[in-house]
Amino acid sequence: MEWSAVIVAAGASSRAGAGPRKPWRRLGGRAVARWSLDALSAAGAGRVVLVVAPEDEALAAEVAGSPETCAVVIGGATRAQSVRAGLAALSDAPAASAVLVHDAARPFVAERHVRALLDALEHADGAVPALPVSDTLKRANATGETSTAAREGLNRAQTPQAFRLGALRDAYAAWEPGDGEPTDDAQVVERAGGSVVLAPGDPMLMKLTYPEDFTMAEALARSASVTRVGHGFDAHRFGPGDHVTLCGVRIPHGQALIGHSDADAGLHALTDALLGAIGDGDIGEHFPASDSRWRDADSAVFLADAMARVQARGGAVVNVDVTLICEQPRLSPYRQAMRERLSALLDLPLDAVSVKATTTEQMGFTGRREGLAAQALAVVQLPA
Ligand code: MG
C-alpha cells in the first residue's frame, strides 16, 4: 500500500528539562527526530513530512536533509494544528493511500511496527499500536483517598497511528472547536464515526517526556545499534607548490602535495575510515583517479559521499580521530581549524573530533620529507 508519514515535532518539550527541544537532542549520535525519519524512510514511506515549531525551522532543515526525501513544514500552537499542517503538505496524495502520523518523541519506530499497522488498516479507517494496561489503576480523590479503577479493556495508545488519508482529512475537517483538544489522531477519526482498530504496541515505542526518559533511551539506542570501527591510511608525495590542504584547511608551505584531487591525505584517510566502518569498499573504488571529474577536486566531496553512505544505512558517526604524520609543515597552529572544519563536515560536536600531528623522528619517507601520511579512525553506529 502506498503511504506517507507525518512526523510531529512542534511540541513545547516543557517537561523534558533544560536544553534544546526533544526532537533536536542527540540520541546515540543522531537527532531524536532523525531516528523516526530514517526508520520510516527505510520502511518504505513515499513521502515524509516533518512538522516543526517556527523557531526550529533552520535546525529542522539541517536534520531533515534533502527536501526530496523529507519536507519541513511549520506547525501550529497545538498538536492538532500541527497534524493539520502536515496533512496539508500531502494535499496532492490520493485519499485512498495511507498516512502514518507519528510523534518525533518516539524514536524507536521500526519497519515491523509499520507492517503491522498497514496490515491492520486493510479492514479499518485507522489502526493504532496499543499496549494493554498492566499496572493497577488508582484514582485519588481531593483528600488523597484512593479507589481502584477497572483496567479491563484499557490500552495505552502509541504512535505511529495509521489512517486512510481521506478518512483522516475528513475527520479533522469535521472536528469542532467545541470538541476540545484531541490528544491523538485516532480519537478524531473515532469522533467522525470512522473505524479504528488496535495493532500490537511495543515498549520500544516509548515516548520521551521527562529527562530520565533520555537516560533509558540512550541505553535502548545502544541495544538498537551496533558499533563499528573503521580505519584509513593515506600518503601523498611533496612536489612544487606553495601550500598543502589537510583536513579541509589550506596551510601555507614551501611545497604542495601531489595527487589527482587536492591531495588532502587527512580527508582521504578519514573517508576510507568511514567506508571501512560500513564495509563499503575504499575511496579509490568510488572515486577512481582515472575519472577526470575528480581532478583537483575538493576532497570534502569524498567525505560527504562516505557520510551519505553511512546515513543511507541508518547509521551515524560517533567520533573520529585523525593522525597526520610529517616533519613539515608544522601543523600545531592549524590543529584547531582542522578540528572545526571536520566538525562542520561531519556534523559532529567538537569534542567528538580529534586531529593529532606527529613526526617519525626523521625516519622513513615522512622523515626524509618526501611526503606526508595520515591515519584515521572512525566510530560509527549502525542499526542492529
Ligand atoms: Mg589520497
Side-chain angles (χ1 to χ4, degrees), residues 1 21 72 76 97 113 120 129 161 171 187 201 229 231 243 288 307 361:
M1 186 188 303
R21 277 183 234 254
V72 174
S97 68
H113 303 128
Q161 300 186 350
Q187 66 189 285
V229 177
H231 172 253
H243 74 279
M307 277 285 282
E361 299 276 331

Side-chain angles (χ1 to χ4, degrees), residues 233-236 258-259 261 263-265 268-269 283 299:
F233 174 84
D234 194 33
H236 282 269
I258 304 306
S261 64
D264 187 333
H268 295 181
I283 191 170
S299 294

Side-chain angles (χ1 to χ4, degrees), residues 8-377:
V8 187
S13 299
S14 50
R15 290 167 294 185
R21 277 183 234 254
K22 289 184 287 189
W24 322 117
R25 292 197 193 170
R26 291 217 170 227
L27 188 63
R30 268 188 287 172
V32 166
R34 183 84 218 176
W35 281 77
S36 298
L37 211 164
D38 288 339
L40 293 170
S41 299
R47 287 157 73 181
V48 181
V49 179
L50 182 62
V51 188
V52 306
E55 55 271 41
D56 291 342
E57 191 177 10
L59 206 53
E62 223 174 274
V63 168
S66 154
E68 282 103 74
T69 48
C70 177
V72 174
V73 164
I74 302 301
T78 65
R79 188 182 181 285
Q81 286 172 14
S82 294
V83 173
R84 285 176 203 262
L87 294 176
L90 298 173
S91 58
D92 55 338
S97 68
V99 61
L100 266 62
V101 183
H102 184 52
D103 293 328
R106 300 181 192 267
F108 300 122
V109 58
E111 183 164 0
R112 64 181 185 280
H113 303 128
V114 173
R115 292 289 143 238
L117 286 163
L118 292 178
D119 285 350
L121 199 59
E122 297 284 338
H123 312 287
D125 298 313
V128 175
L131 286 172
V133 173
S134 56
D135 295 326
T136 299
L137 296 178
K138 295 293 182 189
R139 180 176 286 119
N141 67 14
T143 60
E145 279 173 19
T146 64
S147 58
T148 302
R151 69 183 180 201
E152 284 71 34
L154 288 186
N155 291 275
R156 294 190 289 128
Q158 302 176 311
T159 80
Q161 300 186 350
F163 303 94
R164 302 266 166 203
L165 181 56
L168 186 61
R169 262 187 210 144
D170 294 348
Y172 265 106
W175 185 271
E176 302 279 354
D179 292 336
E181 269 308 315
T183 55
D184 76 348
D185 307 292
Q187 66 189 285
V188 179
V189 172
E190 290 159 0
R191 176 68 61 92
S195 58
V196 177
V197 295
L198 298 186
D202 187 343
M204 285 296 282
L205 289 173
M206 67 178 281
K207 187 176 188 179
L208 302 176
T209 305
Y210 300 102
E212 53 271 31
D213 294 337
F214 280 83
T215 311
M216 195 191 291
E218 277 294 349
L220 287 172
R222 277 194 291 277
S223 74
S225 58
V226 291
T227 300
R228 297 279 194 80
V229 177
H231 172 253
F233 174 84
D234 194 33
H236 282 269
R237 182 184 296 278
F238 283 125
D242 61 3
H243 74 279
V244 299
T245 302
L246 289 171
C247 297
V249 174
R250 184 187 170 103
I251 297 171
H253 185 52
Q255 291 181 295
L257 290 169
I258 304 306
H260 191 69
S261 64
D262 64 4
D264 187 333
L267 287 189
H268 295 181
L270 189 52
T271 300
D272 264 353
L274 290 184
L275 294 173
I278 57 172
D280 191 357
D282 61 27
I283 191 170
E285 178 188 335
H286 299 303
F287 299 97
S290 55
D291 189 331
S292 60
R293 273 182 300 169
W294 317 123
R295 175 170 292 285
D296 300 325
D298 177 348
S299 294
V301 172
F302 309 148
L303 188 65
D305 177 81
M307 277 285 282
R309 288 170 187 273
V310 171
Q311 282 163 357
R313 286 165 163 76
V317 181
V318 177
N319 73 294
V320 299
D321 184 11
V322 178
T323 302
L324 301 167
I325 307 161
C326 61
E327 302 289 331
Q328 288 286 338
R330 256 176 57 71
L331 298 177
S332 56
Y334 302 96
R335 240 161 47 91
Q336 189 61 14
M338 290 191 272
R339 287 180 71 204
E340 284 168 7
R341 179 68 181 141
L342 293 184
S343 162
L345 289 173
L346 296 164
D347 188 24
L348 278 179
L350 204 54
D351 66 0
V353 177
S354 162
V355 176
K356 312 195 298 298
T358 189
T359 72
T360 50
E361 299 276 331
Q362 301 179 34
M363 297 178 289
F365 72 88
T366 59
R368 293 189 296 272
R369 306 180 186 203
E370 293 167 10
L372 170 157
Q375 296 189 351
L377 280 181

